[in-house]
Every structure is written in C-alpha cells, then in structure tokens.
Amino acid sequence: MYPTPVSRWSPLGRKVYKTSLPIALLIWLLPLIAVFVTSMRSTDDLNNGNYWGWPEKFALVENYRTVLFSSPMLHYFLNSCLITVPSVIGSIALAAMAGFALATYPFKGNNSVLGVFVAGNFVPIQVLMIPVRQLTLHLGLFNTLEGLILFHVSFQTGFCTLFLRNFIKELPYELVEAARIEGANEWQLFYRIILPLIAPALAALAILVFTFVWNDYFWALCLTQGDDAAPITVGVAALKGQWTTAWNLVSAGSLLAALPSVVIFFAMQKHFIAGLTFGATKG
C-alpha cells in the first residue's frame, strides 16, 4: 500500500508538513552549519571574539590549505585508511563464515555460541579500557596500526556475526539442500550460493562498520600515543594548541574527517537501504 500523496492531505496536514519538516531539518543541520561557518573564519575574527557572528573576513581556502598541508592531517588520514579498510574486510569475512555456520549447522552448543556473540555486544566498552590497554602492551601491539586493526576486528565481529546470521537464517534452506545434492562442497556452497544472496546485507554492514571504525576516538586515544599510529579522529584533537585553540582549523579538520563517511554512505545508499529492508516483506 502506497502512502497518500501530499496533495491529497487535509489543509492542516499540509501545513504541519510544510512547517515541521524544514524546522526539523534545520535543527538537525544546525551543528554542521555552525562548524562550517567557523571553518571559514579568519584568525583575526577569533582573536576579536567573533565566534558566533557572521565572519568579517572569509578564510575558507587558507584554513583548509593549512589543515591539509601545514599539519600532519594527511598522515592521520592515511592511518585511518590503513586501519579502517582491513578492519572492515576482516570483521565481515569472519562474521560471514561464523554466521553461515551458526545459521546452517545445527551442532550442539549452537545457541550457546550465538549467546556469546550477543552478550559481547552488551559489555560496556569503558569496563574493557584498562584490560585491553594492558593486553596490547604485553603483546607489543600498543601504538601500532596492527593493534588497532586486531582490536576493531575482534570487537566488530560479534555484532557482524549476529547481523549476518539472522540474514542467512532467512534464506530458503532448500537452496542449500539443492546445492549439496548437485555435489557442491561447503566452501562452494558458501562462496557461490550464500555470499551472492546476502550481498545487500554485506554492503549495509560494510557501511556501518566503516562508520564505527572511522569515527572511533575512544579506543584510538587509549591504544595510541603520539602521531605514528594515530587516526584522523585523534589528529583533529591534536590541532588544538597548547595554550590557545584555533577553532577555525579544528572545524575545518572535523569536516574533512567526516567527509569519507558521508561519501561512502551516499555512494552506497541504495545497497544500504536494500540490506536493511532485506526480507522485510517476506510472508
């Protein structure tokens, strides 16, 4: 059943629609607009106390040029790419295999293993801060890209496994039985039957995991020290001076740090929506 067009709404409904939607959109975008305006301010504006008024002098190009070429922001950006891409691939690959096993094989302890994956998602991350930091120190992984990658893969795999297990469970089991009758082994069944069918779910999950890992600040701050392995979220915080803060540079760096997540989402928006609605209309 399709929704009723706006033209057929009652006058009161159209009035509420035309007023509430722009107001809600403005409130949602207000922090982003404020950060963008601040990124255009000149240093003289900030020194004169003009934090909220309209900029007297625009320094958009100068601020972004300073952030990109006069600070280690590109180094932080590269670190984030080297951390996020392997983390997304590793967590989704492991979760796809684990989800396939949990959804397909009724072995003893199946529900217990699934319960472990579910329970791990409810553990507060603050409780794990000191044990994880000590573990990385003892393993020699503190302040390394490998340590952050292994950490994100291990922590994201639980959520991804639960997510993919439910999707695979919705698939017709007759497809699995037919493939086995045709002589396909379990790896062929996984790669040629299951993975193509859950491609929308994999795409949606990749966007979510990418956003989680790319925007992580808490664990990046706990498990790194200095600039060697720091991702871009820590790099934005490093733009703050020791005694004064150049808020125009911090705002420009924040927008640059948020840009990849926004681009990835809009580039894969179709797959993201398809993955979230997969099986929603199944009777």
Side-chain angles (χ1 to χ4, degrees):
M1 183 178 181
Y2 293 95
T4 305
V6 178
S7 58
R8 298 183 183 179
W9 289 6
S10 64
L12 179 60
R14 289 196 298 269
K15 183 177 180 180
V16 172
Y17 167 78
K18 292 180 179 180
T19 55
S20 62
L21 186 61
I23 293 175
L25 185 62
L26 179 61
I27 294 175
W28 182 63
L29 292 176
L30 189 59
L32 182 61
I33 295 173
V35 173
F36 179 69
V37 173
T38 302
S39 70
M40 297 189 297
R41 299 184 188 277
S42 63
T43 304
D44 294 336
D45 265 5
L46 297 175
N47 292 336
N48 294 332
N50 184 15
Y51 292 100
W52 302 105
W54 191 253
E56 297 179 1
K57 180 182 178 182
F58 290 93
L60 179 66
V61 177
E62 293 82 357
N63 290 339
Y64 282 89
R65 184 187 294 119
T66 301
V67 170
L68 287 174
F69 303 110
S70 299
S71 71
M73 186 59 65
L74 291 178
H75 170 72
Y76 296 133
F77 183 87
L78 178 61
N79 283 347
S80 289
C81 293
L82 294 176
I83 293 169
T84 304
V85 174
S87 299
V88 172
I89 296 175
S91 58
I92 291 182
L94 291 175
M97 291 185 285
F100 171 69
L102 291 173
T104 307
Y105 306 126
F107 58 90
K108 185 177 181 180
N110 186 302
N111 293 331
S112 299
V113 175
L114 179 62
V116 172
F117 282 112
V118 174
N121 294 314
F122 294 97
V123 177
I125 60 175
Q126 294 82 2
V127 176
L128 303 175
M129 179 180 65
I130 295 178
V132 170
R133 181 183 174 89
Q134 292 299 319
L135 180 62
T136 56
L137 286 171
H138 284 93
L139 295 177
L141 297 174
F142 181 76
N143 199 33
T144 63
L145 297 176
E146 293 79 6
L148 283 173
I149 292 171
L150 289 175
F151 166 80
H152 285 301
V153 169
S154 61
F155 272 73
Q156 296 296 332
T157 299
F159 168 74
C160 296
T161 300
L162 176 64
F163 191 91
L164 292 178
R165 181 262 181 191
N166 293 335
F167 274 86
I168 297 174
K169 199 73 174 178
E170 292 292 325
L171 299 177
Y173 191 73
E174 291 79 7
L175 294 175
V176 176
E177 293 179 332
R180 286 172 176 166
I181 292 174
E182 292 295 329
N185 58 41
E186 298 305 310
W187 284 109
Q188 292 174 336
L189 174 63
F190 176 68
Y191 283 114
R192 298 184 180 181
I193 305 297
I194 299 299
L195 286 185
L197 291 175
I198 64 171
L202 295 175
L205 193 58
I207 297 174
L208 291 176
V209 176
F210 182 93
T211 303
F212 294 157
V213 177
W214 184 273
N215 294 331
D216 173 69
Y217 176 73
F218 179 81
W219 288 112
L221 189 64
C222 293
L223 302 181
T224 61
Q225 186 176 6
D227 297 336
D228 294 338
I232 197 169
T233 49
V234 176
V236 171
L239 291 174
K240 297 171 61 177
Q242 183 177 3
W243 307 109
T244 59
T245 301
W247 291 114
N248 51 348
L249 301 182
V250 173
S251 299
S254 300
L255 292 178
L256 291 175
L259 189 60
S261 297
V262 176
V263 172
I264 289 293
F265 174 78
F266 282 104
M268 302 183 66
Q269 183 179 13
K270 179 180 178 181
H271 302 285
F272 181 75
I273 297 174
L276 292 182
T277 57
F278 180 84
T281 59
K282 191 175 180 179

